[in-house]
Amino acid sequence: LKIGSTTGYTDKMMEIVVPEAAKQGYSPDCWFSPDSVGGKGRCYPYMIFRNMQQLQISSVRNVVKVGDTISDIKEGINSGVWSVGVIEGSSELGLSEEEWNALSNAEKSSEAKRVENSFRSAGAHFVIQNMLELPVLIRMLGT
């Protein structure tokens, strides 16, 4: 798999984020910010298209956009790729890991349902609980 990333951060901000993310084990094959597409960031599809071009991916059917915000979901939908929302750790959930872990199972279920409904209302094709579920989904999609 190839990993391309889109961000709402500027290139200047990414000068700080990229090396720090790499230290934590996340280093995508490429990334694009709104700076690289004339300021047309999310919800526009252009950062995804730039990733596709850079990674030499010929069809939107072979791309999965995974995100934690409504604007991520809309970016995926607007570019015609599979759009997946992630609940745990998401901006849409709005809870730290500590806050999430402090919830009862009933509260977790209620909050997860709220976030899932938000993602689905925005057009998400799929919603996963956490990133551990992503490999199974990708295999299922055959992308």
Side-chain angles (χ1 to χ4, degrees):
L1 295 177
K2 298 175 183 177
I3 299 176
S5 181
T6 66
T7 181
Y9 292 167
T10 64
D11 286 352
K12 187 93 172 141
M13 296 164 93
M14 291 300 285
E15 290 174 11
I16 298 166
V17 172
V18 169
E20 291 302 314
K23 287 179 190 174
Q24 296 182 40
Y26 178 68
S27 186
D29 297 300
C30 62
W31 60 266
F32 292 95
S33 78
D35 292 343
S36 65
V37 291
K40 301 281 188 191
R42 297 179 187 138
C43 302
Y44 290 98
Y46 308 121
M47 292 186 295
I48 288 177
F49 295 156
R50 289 291 310 272
N51 273 285
M52 289 178 64
Q53 181 181 27
Q54 180 72 30
L55 297 171
Q56 299 180 24
I57 298 170
S58 62
S59 174
V60 293
R61 292 183 308 239
N62 296 327
V63 177
V64 178
K65 166 64 180 182
V66 181
D68 71 324
T69 66
I70 297 302
S71 60
D72 283 315
I73 300 304
K74 290 181 177 180
E75 179 185 27
I77 295 300
N78 290 340
S79 63
V81 304
W82 294 109
S83 190
V84 179
V86 181
I87 295 171
E88 288 180 24
S90 71
S91 294
E92 189 67 20
L93 179 63
L95 299 174
S96 69
E97 183 177 9
E98 184 177 281
E99 292 168 327
W100 172 254
N101 290 334
L103 296 178
S104 69
N105 286 339
E107 291 169 322
K108 285 180 181 177
S109 179
S110 175
E111 285 298 298
K113 194 63 170 166
R114 176 185 63 79
V115 173
E116 178 177 1
N117 288 340
S118 292
F119 287 150
R120 294 221 183 263
S121 292
H125 298 106
F126 302 96
V127 177
I128 58 177
Q129 188 67 29
N130 55 51
M131 292 298 285
L132 295 173
E133 296 178 2
L134 186 58
V136 172
L137 177 60
I138 288 174
R139 280 193 294 277
M140 183 194 79
L141 293 173
T143 57

